[in-house]
Amino acid sequence: MVERNLVNVLLLGGGFMLIFTSFQTLGNIEQTIIDSIKKDLPSFTGDGYTSLAIIYAALSLSNWVTPSVLSAIGPRLAMVIGAITYCLFMASFFVPHVALLYGCSVVLGAGAALIWTGQGMYLSQCSSGDTISRNSGIFWAMLQMSMFFGNLLVFFTFQGKTHIDETTRSIVFAVLIAVGIVGLVFLTCLRRPSASGDAPVELSHSVEPRQAFLNAIRLFQTPRMILLSITFVYTGLSLSFFSGVYGSSIGFTNAIGTSAKQYVGLNGVFIGVGEVLGGVAFGLLGTRTTTRWGRDPIVIAGGVLHMAAYFLIYLNLPNAAPFGNTDALSYIQPPSALVAMGCSFLLGLGDACFNTQCYSMLGGVFKSQPAEAFSIFKFTQSVAAAASFVYSSYCGLHVQLLILVVLGIIGTITFCVVEFAVKRERPTLERDYEK
């Protein structure tokens, strides 16, 4: 009989897969959609990049409040409320208005903090030290499946269109909202975690909202969390690079050929392949590898994969690629679409290495303070992503790659330092338990 907590993890992954199939698809096409809306409705002056910046800013600030909210309402209700804000944001596109767009962006940022911190806390409650790596891998693989469905929807719906008319936009919005609502239903079906069989797990004791906020501040100041925050910053920088900068750089490189724009969507698919394979591998093998060797070999492997990808991107794409269409040449002449797609796969696989082990670390080592730990994770990650979107408008591709290499090396080292400390404590804790 399938264990109850595993069913909860599958429901959690399914709900997030559907919700982010909707949101990530809309995020990828938001600027394109808004440009088409402006042509049909000149009075509309909204901007997609401004909307995304507002979302990240609200998300980063809200993460300091979410531990207090979760202490009052619990992770399941928090995730349901967060999912509703995603659906409201997508529905706002039916009524194009600047104030509505930016207002819903603020609401979504707050909702994103709730849904992600709630997810981390709930996944921790559904896991033990033996199953946290497996559950993290399963969740991550299911979440990244959203990259396939979203890219395929855009590919078939927008095929051959240079202007996205109102009818097409309405169809896309309706489909995305419907998918998001189904994901919301999945989250409402989540059950109370159990320790064994149907026995409820002993959850962390409730604390006052003010105390939860102070606990988050104290946890953020601990040496281990400071070290891990550097790793979290790197995951935010790499996320914004491969989700926003890299795909655009491929499309802007004219030397790739007339199919350069088509490779933007294919880039997302290959990233998704890497993400899903990484999640599945660490979901099926995570318990065995973490128990025997720890989390650090997987994070080191992710760092090596990303360094290889950055070096190949440096050789394959010109420095001016992030800024717009360019005829500039790279070290590889002409730039190779095959190498570009290979780098996409490496970026996705490496990202899966980092994120699954960050989830495993937070859910295992900080199990007594899951809400505070995951809120700090999302705070540092979202601040880094927002900063990356800012400097990406001014820094060439080579400078961006240099920043990623430096932070990637430091972030890998700091994660391993914390993991080594955890390994040293483990035998001591086991001896104390035997006594």
Side-chain angles (χ1 to χ4, degrees), residues 55-345:
I55 291 172
Y56 274 107
L59 170 60
S60 61
L61 293 175
S62 299
N63 272 297
W64 290 109
V65 182
T66 49
S68 301
V69 177
L70 262 69
S71 70
I73 66 176
R76 289 183 291 170
L77 180 55
M79 286 189 288
V80 170
I81 294 173
I84 292 173
T85 66
Y86 280 86
C87 295
L88 290 176
F89 176 76
M90 290 182 285
S92 71
F93 282 84
F94 277 114
V95 186
H97 192 281
V98 177
L100 183 62
L101 172 65
Y102 294 159
C104 287
S105 297
V106 173
V107 172
L108 174 58
L114 282 177
I115 197 172
W116 280 110
T117 305
Q119 174 270 330
M121 184 176 182
Y122 185 75
L123 186 69
S124 176
Q125 292 175 350
C126 288
S127 306
S128 64
D130 294 331
T131 62
I132 182 64
S133 291
R134 180 203 68 182
N135 292 346
S136 298
I138 291 173
F139 170 80
W140 189 255
M142 295 185 70
L143 171 65
Q144 297 306 323
M145 289 292 290
S146 62
M147 300 191 71
F148 296 119
F149 303 130
N151 280 297
L152 289 174
L153 174 66
V154 171
F155 177 79
F156 288 111
T157 307
F158 290 1
Q159 194 168 24
K161 293 181 180 288
T162 56
H163 173 74
I164 313 303
D165 57 86
E166 184 177 0
T167 301
T168 303
R169 295 197 302 264
S170 298
I171 292 173
V172 171
F173 296 152
V175 171
L176 294 182
I177 293 171
V179 172
I181 290 175
V182 176
L184 171 61
V185 172
F186 270 56
L187 296 184
T188 61
C189 295
L190 292 173
R191 297 177 296 175
R192 182 181 175 87
S194 63
S196 61
D198 291 328
V201 70
E202 185 66 31
L203 304 182
S204 56
H205 64 279
S206 59
V207 295
E208 294 295 327
R210 179 177 177 274
Q211 188 60 44
F213 173 76
L214 294 176
N215 289 344
I217 297 293
R218 294 192 190 98
L219 181 60
F220 195 35
Q221 296 173 343
T222 60
R224 284 187 180 179
M225 190 56 75
I226 290 173
L227 288 171
L228 287 175
S229 293
I230 299 175
T231 310
F232 302 157
V233 165
Y234 171 68
T235 63
L237 296 178
S238 64
L239 170 66
S240 60
F241 177 76
F242 70 71
S243 66
V245 176
Y246 182 55
S248 300
S249 298
I250 294 173
F252 289 146
T253 304
N254 295 332
I256 289 180
T258 56
S259 300
K261 297 294 188 292
Q262 296 177 349
Y263 288 122
V264 177
L266 199 58
N267 157 69
V269 173
F270 274 93
I271 290 174
V273 171
E275 295 274 17
V276 171
L277 285 179
V280 169
F282 306 137
L284 296 176
L285 306 176
T287 301
R288 184 181 305 172
T289 56
T290 301
T291 302
R292 187 170 181 179
W293 295 298
R295 304 175 183 91
D296 48 295
I298 297 175
V299 169
I300 292 172
V304 171
L305 291 171
H306 272 186
M307 295 306 116
Y310 299 148
F311 179 68
L312 291 173
I313 293 170
Y314 171 79
L315 296 177
N316 195 45
L317 298 181
N319 186 48
F323 303 128
N325 291 326
T326 178
D327 294 318
L329 297 177
S330 57
Y331 293 98
I332 298 177
Q333 297 185 20
S336 170
L338 182 62
V339 171
M341 296 303 102
C343 291
S344 301
F345 173 78

Side-chain angles (χ1 to χ4, degrees), residues 342-386:
C343 291
S344 301
F345 173 78
L346 292 177
L347 289 172
L349 184 59
D351 187 63
C353 291
F354 276 98
N355 277 280
T356 55
Q357 300 316 298
C358 284
Y359 274 96
S360 176
M361 174 71 77
L362 293 173
V365 177
F366 300 94
K367 193 174 180 67
S368 61
Q369 294 177 290
E372 293 86 346
F374 280 95
S375 66
I376 292 170
F377 172 45
K378 297 309 295 184
F379 168 75
T380 50
Q381 192 179 59
S382 58
V383 167

